[in-house]
Amino acid sequence: MSDKPNAIIPARAETLGVLRLIGRGELLLMLEGDADGYGTRWTLGGQQVQPAIARYLMDGGYLAEIARSELGVRRLTLSAAGKTLRDNGLRWWASLSLREKLEVIVLG
């Protein structure tokens, strides 16, 4: 699913679900915590996104900030690299058998 060799993607099925939602126009909201990142929260469609997934997408350059609210909430969407990752992920998912999909969902 990754365009970077040997990249470890956290919770691959859930990460792909997040990419799908952002690709459909949902915005990932980043509510910043302390300067060191502790306490930072990410939400998508009112649901919290796992920090490991959000951090993977942020650190990989797959997200781009489009706006910041008066309260400091960052509104994020897919970058060009994020769209490529999503497209590659969707092709990868479609290539899996039902058994392989279940393994990815259960085992990560």
Side-chain angles (χ1 to χ4, degrees), residues 17-52:
V18 168
L19 290 168
R20 282 179 178 156
L21 287 173
I22 298 171
R24 291 183 187 144
E26 292 280 339
L27 295 177
L28 181 66
L29 303 178
M30 179 181 175
L31 305 120
E32 293 185 285
D34 296 334
D36 64 358
Y38 184 76
T40 300
R41 300 281 184 255
W42 293 269
T43 63
L44 180 64
Q47 299 295 314
Q48 186 168 335
V49 174
Q50 288 186 34

Side-chain angles (χ1 to χ4, degrees), residues 4 9 13 20 22 25-26 35-38 41 44-45 58 62 70 72 81-82 84 90 93 97 103 105-106 108:
K4 294 181 180 177
I9 301 171
R20 282 179 178 156
I22 298 171
E26 292 280 339
D36 64 358
Y38 184 76
R41 300 281 184 255
L44 180 64
M58 292 283 294
Y62 301 120
E70 305 83 37
T84 300
L90 292 174
W93 188 257
S97 69
E103 285 178 4
I105 291 169
V106 173

